[in-house]
Amino acid sequence: MKTLAVLTRDDIRSLEIAINKTTCAQQALRANAIPANAPKTAADRFFREAIFAYADAQYLQGYFWRDLARRYGVEQKYMDRLHVDFNTNKLLMNE
């Protein structure tokens, strides 16, 4: 793996927040996330909001990775090779 940069604390925090938002939204999208006896309208509203929350979280993660790629000169076709080591705060790229 090639080290591209050591990320700032703000960068790491932004990625952690985006990951946390995605994880929470995924949990809300589980079929058993609301009680079986909940009114259908409430369930529909809940899942609609959960879908929007998930989409927002995915956008934040995508934006984060696109921004890092732009800052460190990584072509879009290689973005799937980027990785963050949270122990060292390094932005790594699989070669």
Side-chain angles (χ1 to χ4, degrees):
M1 277 197 201
K2 178 180 177 182
T3 300
L4 299 179
V6 176
L7 299 177
T8 66
R9 182 172 289 184
D10 286 342
D11 285 333
I12 295 298
R13 200 158 128 230
S14 293
L15 180 56
E16 289 172 335
I17 288 169
I19 290 170
N20 189 43
K21 284 180 177 281
T22 301
T23 301
C24 290
Q26 285 173 328
Q27 291 173 4
L29 287 171
R30 290 189 340 259
N32 63 352
I34 53 176
N37 61 348
K40 183 180 178 347
T41 56
D44 289 347
R45 205 170 330 131
F46 176 84
F47 284 116
R48 184 174 47 247
E49 291 301 320
I51 289 167
F52 285 127
Y54 185 66
D56 287 345
Q58 284 185 310
Y59 174 81
L60 283 175
Q61 279 196 53
Y63 181 86
F64 175 84
W65 289 111
R66 286 188 304 275
D67 182 55
L68 283 184
R70 180 191 52 78
R71 281 195 272 158
Y72 297 106
V74 176
E75 292 180 52
Q76 187 172 1
K77 65 183 178 181
Y78 299 119
M79 282 179 48
D80 62 336
R81 296 181 183 181
L82 294 177
H83 170 75
V84 172
D85 180 334
F86 286 99
N87 293 320
T88 62
N89 293 352
K90 290 181 180 178
L91 175 62
L92 306 168
M93 184 170 173
N94 293 330
E95 298 184 79

